[in-house]
Amino acid sequence: MFVSDAPAGASFKVKRVLLDKEVGKRLADMGFTEGAEGAVVRGGFLRGPFQVRIRGYDILIRRSEAAGIEVEPVGDWSAARDARGRGRGFRHGHGRGCGCSE
Amino acid sequence: MRNDMQGFTKTLKIALAGNPNAGKTTLFNALTGAHHKVGNYPGVTVEKREGSVRRGGREYRFVDLPGIYSLTAYSIDEVVARDFILDEAPDLIVDVLDSTNLERNLFLCLQFQELGIPVVGALNMSDEAQAKGIDIDEKALGAVLGLPMAKTVGPKGGGIDRLLDLIDEAAGAGDGADKTIRYGSEVEDRLEPLERLIASDARFASRFPPRWLAVKLLEKDAKAYERLADHPKAAEIGRLAKSSIDWLEKHYAKDAEIVISEQRYGYIHGAVKESVRIVKKPNFSLTESIDKVIMNRFLALPIFVAVLWGVFKLTFALGEYPMAWFESFFGWVSELALAAIPEGFLRSLLVDGIIGGVGGVFSFVPLIVILFFLLSILEDVGYMSRAAFATDKVLHAFGLHGQSVFPMMLGFGCSVPAIMAARTLKSRRDRIVTILVIPFMSCGAKLPVHVLFAAAFFPKRASEMVMLIYAIGVALSLVSAWALRKTALRGDPTPFVMELPPYRAPTLRGVLWHVWEKTWHYVKKAGTVILASAILIWAITSFPVSEPSEAELESLAAAFSAEHPEAAPEELEAYLETAAAEYSLERSAAGSIGKFIEPAFRPLGFDWKIGVASVTGFAAKEVVVSTLGILYRVGTEESEESESLREALQRDSGFTPLIAFVFMLFTLVIPPCFAALATIRSELGWKWLGFAFAFMLGLGWILGFAVFQIGSVLAAS
């Protein structure tokens, strides 16, 4: 699972960042390291940026970055989806860099 | 290396560092009062602020480092901060920490400790942390991390004395190098031989702390490898670093630089656990409930547009009055000069050239101050990252960045501070694209030109026409950004990783400081570049001198009297004065230039007068209006509100609504005034200035040509 798969309100635990040099290092420096807990607060309109809570603060990242952060779901993601979005929430992509439309 | 300085010096050089949004600037202001010196770090366009405070016979000289999250070599700000510490060797680093967001803030702090200079932590925003139920035991935290810490409240100046006490103590003590983070035995076993090898050259080790350099080598830091080149055993060290990295990556099955970050966060997490208690659950409620609306996926963009609209309306509604005061002030000054100085070139230079040119530009200051005031409030409240969230999708599609939005909005006021504000963009390519499209955001000085032509040729739809021009400007900036990213500035998109700070009440002082800084850039330009160009424009419009002969004047007077039999003698006199002015202007250097370039303007429907007006517009865009005033013989001091200039333009058979529109478009797109061009040069260099100039002139001409030709065909059919 990746951050980009998470519906609004879903919590996660970071497994690893699968992005290249600079972005990967930057995300790690901003707190996306193994075991760090976080949550997706919301996603932007038309697959815009994500608002993600990590280490107690909020950060904005694009979908392409979110798709490179592998996470382990915490709690029931489908419940988060039902509570928040009910279908009109996120379109959850299939992992990394997937440009496919659903 | 710095032992000779410690404890005894009267002046302490202190680097003030920390994350963005940690309240660093507010604390800097609280520490140093109003005594600031603003400059640049050598060779880069990163702003450097210095200030000092005295206490008990000691001077504390603070240098405000750029706000950063880490000390990698990936961003200019980070490189500037570490180069300052390494090369200028301050006595001490004060790391400003956001108490509500400790873990991430401490990440940078650990890296400062490794630089071998005493570090003092300022637990800033401690009042906010308390309100959120975050209880920090600063003594315990300081003990674990090995650095003294004081709680501070920037805006109220709380804890400043305690902070200065700790600075005194720390400056007298050692550098604290023994207290730096341990990365765990796997990493430490790799670091130790590297450190030893680096330290083997005493001269080198005195310049760069061996442990810091060893860590940076494992982090594959390009700049660290550059510095290593000076070491006599550089090759050997490089090989050892390479094999250590390979070992770590095999052992941990991830990149070595990520391992280092993870070890740091692990260490911090442990330290925070021991010294910070959460007495109640983190409370995001106020920010959260505002964001539910502001950042709603469907509302975010419309709200952004509405906010922008509101800022405009308010700016122009409030700006009207002070603008009128400025204008009458400069009018009064020219009256004085007219009375005091005998007629001649000196008077003409002073009144028409300097007071007219610079005064015209200064009359926009109120408008700009108000716009910047409103935008600074939005910035300080924390709205700009929300605006980036709302607009990133659109901007990204055109190759811009969510962070381009603030500089571009400033562009509606004045391109000079807007181009400088693009410094916040971390990637050079993003910054260049943003700077190149900022002039398309129609600035305050272009507005009079738009208003004049809209009112003269589209009287029923004047305000819609002006809005249309603004909209075309925005559209052009997006399309040309896209085109530039596809051609001259191709490359991978830069990552969008941006902190979203909670909303904070802006302080009046902070907002005023921002306004002052940005306005000052503008005023400084007005005082130098605009003054110089005003004189230049005055010179080319006044020389070579040629005045109509008596006979010519008489025939003009006769023609005028025949046309207006009831005209009063004053009217005749005014007419003759303007006619003489036009006569001189037509034969001046500017007139010759206008006639010389007329063939190039013909395909756009323009005559030489428009050429002259456009040329003089390089001094400042609103000068276009006063130049037209002279060329149309309606008076030498015309404004866009002037009925007579409007009528004169309407009467000119060479002007049709189509040509008027093409001219508005042309004014919007061609290169900006000299002040803005000079700013592009100082930010990006001559090469990009040349590119920008050619690009805008070419685009302006092509657009004007296309619209005029297509419009003419449509009108004919």
Side-chain angles (χ1 to χ4, degrees):
Chain A
M1 288 292 199
F2 295 88
V3 170
S4 51
D5 301 325
S11 299
F12 58 77
K13 210 172 212 177
V14 176
K15 276 165 101 176
R16 56 188 178 150
V17 177
L18 293 166
L19 291 159
D20 257 2
K21 312 277 164 247
E22 181 178 347
V23 201
K25 174 68 171 164
R26 174 144 300 170
L27 287 172
D29 286 1
M30 295 296 275
F32 288 91
T33 56
E34 189 178 338
E37 287 174 30
V40 170
V41 181
R42 56 170 62 82
F45 189 45
L46 291 174
R47 301 172 74 83
F50 278 98
Q51 180 185 349
V52 179
R53 186 158 301 159
I54 187 85
R55 292 189 186 272
Y57 78 97
D58 286 10
I59 191 169
L60 300 173
I61 51 176
R62 277 195 194 127
R63 186 164 294 264
S64 51
E65 281 108 37
I69 306 172
E70 198 182 325
V71 294
E72 197 179 297
V74 172
D76 188 0
W77 277 12
S78 57
R81 181 161 28 234
D82 289 345
R84 294 276 184 133
R86 257 194 307 270
R88 68 170 178 78
F90 291 115
R91 305 215 229 147
H92 43 295
H94 299 304
R96 296 196 292 146
C98 167
C100 51
S101 57
E102 291 172 65
Chain B
M1 51 171 163
R2 302 171 187 99
N3 290 331
D4 54 326
M5 314 271 284
Q6 279 166 11
F8 306 100
T9 38
K10 281 226 150 79
T11 305
L12 281 179
K13 188 154 110 189
I14 303 161
L16 195 71
N19 282 186
N21 304 309
K24 200 161 60 69
T25 305
T26 333
L27 193 68
F28 177 78
N29 289 339
L31 276 165
T32 61
H35 309 289
H36 290 173
K37 213 174 78 194
V38 183
N40 275 354
Y41 288 95
V44 287
T45 49
V46 177
E47 208 151 83
K48 178 183 186 183
R49 251 191 299 257
E50 289 177 79
S52 60
V53 60
R54 285 181 170 283
R55 198 186 67 157
R58 186 169 240 184
E59 195 188 348
Y60 304 80
R61 221 154 57 67
F62 288 94
V63 178
D64 195 8
L65 295 185
I68 50 177
Y69 294 106
S70 185
L71 283 179
T72 62
Y74 290 125
S75 94
I76 315 176
D77 285 355
E78 294 177 12
V79 172
V80 161
R82 63 195 230 182
D83 284 358
F84 178 82
I85 293 166
L86 287 173
D87 300 336
E88 309 228 353
D91 299 302
L92 201 96
I93 301 168
V94 170
D95 185 15
V96 184
L97 303 152
D98 174 358
S99 304
T100 66
N101 186 1
L102 256 190
E103 287 196 16
R104 199 205 62 217
N105 276 259
L106 285 171
F107 187 85
L108 179 66
C109 191
L110 297 186
Q111 301 184 57
F112 284 135
Q113 281 183 293
E114 287 176 337
L115 285 166
I117 288 175
V119 181
V120 172
L123 290 164
N124 204 23
M125 302 187 180
S126 52
D127 53 340
E128 224 174 284
Q130 201 140 31
K132 280 190 173 171
I134 304 169
D135 183 21
I136 303 170
D137 180 347
E138 77 264 34
K139 291 226 171 63
L141 184 62
V144 178
L145 296 175
L147 76 159
M149 287 187 154
K151 287 186 181 173
T152 55
V153 182
K156 298 187 186 99
I160 296 286
D161 259 326
R162 172 93 186 107
L163 186 64
L164 291 177
D165 288 344
L166 290 182
I167 290 172
D168 286 338
E169 283 170 32
D175 61 8
D178 50 328
K179 292 163 197 148
T180 56
I181 165 189
R182 302 283 116 186
Y183 288 94
S185 59
E186 287 90 345
V187 181
E188 289 296 334
D189 287 350
R190 309 305 122 201
L191 279 175
E192 199 253 337
L194 264 178
E195 264 182 83
R196 220 168 340 111
L197 206 51
I198 295 169
S200 67
D201 186 61
R203 201 184 51 84
F204 187 85
S206 74
R207 278 165 55 214
F208 307 112
R211 181 170 176 85
W212 177 78
L213 198 65
V215 173
K216 284 289 147 194
L217 294 178
L218 292 190
E219 284 189 285
K220 304 173 194 160
D221 185 296
K223 293 264 173 193
Y225 281 91
E226 271 172 37
R227 299 242 182 194
L228 186 66
D230 292 345
H231 198 289
K233 292 183 187 160
E236 194 184 334
I237 297 170
R239 276 197 303 277
L240 182 59
K242 174 84 177 63
S243 68
S244 306
I245 290 168
D246 289 345
W247 188 91
L248 283 173
E249 298 196 335
K250 215 167 161 194
H251 182 79
Y252 285 98
K254 48 181 98 170
D255 287 334
E257 65 266 37
I258 304 285
V259 173
I260 301 285
S261 299
E262 298 207 326
Q263 295 297 327
R264 284 199 192 115
Y265 267 115
Y267 180 78
I268 293 166
H269 197 67
V272 168
K273 229 180 197 166
E274 276 179 50
S275 51
V276 178
R277 275 186 318 128
I278 307 292
V279 263
K280 62 180 186 206
K281 262 191 98 64
N283 184 3
F284 286 89
S285 64
L286 180 62
T287 292
E288 202 118 294
S289 28
I290 298 174
D291 277 344
K292 263 201 183 115
V293 182
I294 301 278
M295 294 185 60
N296 176 288
R297 42 204 270 106
F298 300 108
L299 295 180
L301 199 54
I303 287 176
F304 168 75
V305 173
V307 166
L308 200 57
W309 177 256
V311 164
F312 267 113
K313 279 280 166 204
L314 206 56
T315 302
F316 288 114
L318 294 175
E320 216 174 294
Y321 308 99
M323 264 176 87
W325 302 335
F326 261 75
E327 266 163 40
S328 41
F329 171 76
F330 281 105
W332 175 75
V333 173
S334 2
E335 291 293 321
L336 275 188
L338 281 176
I341 307 165
E343 185 158 359
F345 279 114
L346 180 65
R347 181 161 105 178
S348 167
L349 169 66
L350 213 64
V351 175
D352 301 332
I354 297 175
I355 300 174
V358 178
V361 175
F362 265 93
S363 55
F364 284 97
V365 168
L367 210 62
I368 285 164
V369 167
I370 295 167
L371 180 68
F372 290 169
F373 182 77
L374 297 174
L375 290 178
S376 296
I377 290 178
L378 289 179
E379 190 186 11
D380 285 7
V381 163
Y383 181 70
M384 285 309 162
S385 25
R386 272 86 190 167
F389 172 83
T391 54
D392 181 66
K393 189 71 205 179
V394 178
L395 293 180
H396 185 49
F398 290 99
L400 286 160
H401 193 275
Q403 267 174 313
S404 312
V405 79
F406 185 58
M408 286 171 78
M409 281 164 79
L410 287 173
F412 287 125
C414 170
S415 297
V416 171
I419 289 166
M420 294 176 121
R423 290 172 179 182
T424 49
L425 286 149
K426 295 298 163 230
S427 125
R428 184 166 162 81
R429 230 181 292 119
D430 283 340
R431 197 164 142 235
I432 295 173
V433 176
T434 307
I435 288 176
L436 292 181
V437 303
I438 279 173
F440 295 145
M441 314 303 281
S442 191
C443 77
K446 289 178 186 170
L447 185 63
V449 184
H450 301 326
V451 169
L452 170 69
F453 281 89
F457 292 95
F458 310 93
K460 291 209 185 81
R461 302 195 166 271
S463 59
E464 283 92 337
M465 276 314 288
V466 174
M467 283 308 305
L468 178 67
I469 289 290
Y470 272 81
I472 290 173
V474 173
L476 273 181
S477 69
L478 293 179
V479 173
S480 39
W482 177 83
L484 288 167
R485 282 316 287 258
K486 290 275 171 229
T487 53
L489 289 157
R490 225 170 321 153
D492 293 335
T494 23
F496 180 78
V497 176
M498 193 178 185
E499 186 185 358
L500 187 77
Y503 290 108
R504 293 207 163 98
T507 61
L508 186 63
R509 194 185 165 150
V511 171
L512 290 181
W513 171 250
H514 280 167
V515 172
W516 164 248
E517 268 185 323
K518 297 197 180 87
T519 310
W520 178 236
H521 291 319
Y522 176 80
V523 171
K524 226 167 28 183
K525 289 284 173 200
T528 53
V529 178
I530 297 177
L531 175 65
S533 50
I535 294 174
L536 177 73
I537 295 296
W538 170 82
I540 64 166
T541 49
S542 308
F543 297 101
V545 184
S546 51
E547 272 166 35
S549 66
E550 285 299 318
E552 277 166 311
L553 277 178
E554 261 164 46
S555 77
L556 277 169
F560 183 78
S561 303
E563 219 176 298
H564 309 270
E566 299 101 63
E570 303 87 68
E571 285 181 60
L572 175 62
E573 201 180 311
Y575 171 78
L576 286 178
E577 194 187 311
T578 337
E582 191 225 353
Y583 183 96
S584 312
L585 183 54
E586 190 177 345
R587 286 159 184 79
S588 70
S592 312
I593 295 172
K595 292 218 163 121
F596 178 72
I597 56 180
E598 193 180 3
F601 280 141
R602 266 282 147 225
L604 282 66
F606 299 165
D607 62 7
W608 69 274
K609 291 176 182 169
I610 296 213
V612 175
S614 294
V615 169
T616 58
F618 283 112
K621 292 293 165 179
E622 78 281 4
V623 173
V624 170
V625 174
S626 50
T627 307
L628 287 171
I630 297 172
L631 293 171
Y632 279 92
R633 302 191 180 184
V634 285
T636 45
E637 279 163 34
E638 290 312 308
S639 76
E640 72 277 14
E641 305 290 336
S642 148
E643 282 292 329
S644 44
L645 179 54
R646 223 177 271 172
E647 282 165 14
L649 287 169
Q650 284 162 348
R651 272 200 309 271
D652 184 348
S653 58
F655 250 121
T656 61
L658 176 64
I659 294 174
F661 177 73
V662 171
F663 183 60
M664 285 160 83
L665 195 64
F666 188 72
T667 306
L668 171 77
V669 182
I670 58 164
C673 65
F674 284 135
L677 291 171
T679 314
I680 294 178
R681 191 204 60 80
S682 62
E683 297 291 303
L684 299 180
W686 283 107
K687 194 187 103 195
W688 283 108
L689 171 66
F691 179 85
F693 193 88
F695 172 65
M696 290 170 197
L697 196 59
L699 185 64
W701 193 90
I702 290 167
L703 274 179
F705 176 76
V707 172
F708 178 68
Q709 297 299 335
I710 295 169
S712 304
V713 170
L714 290 180
S717 62

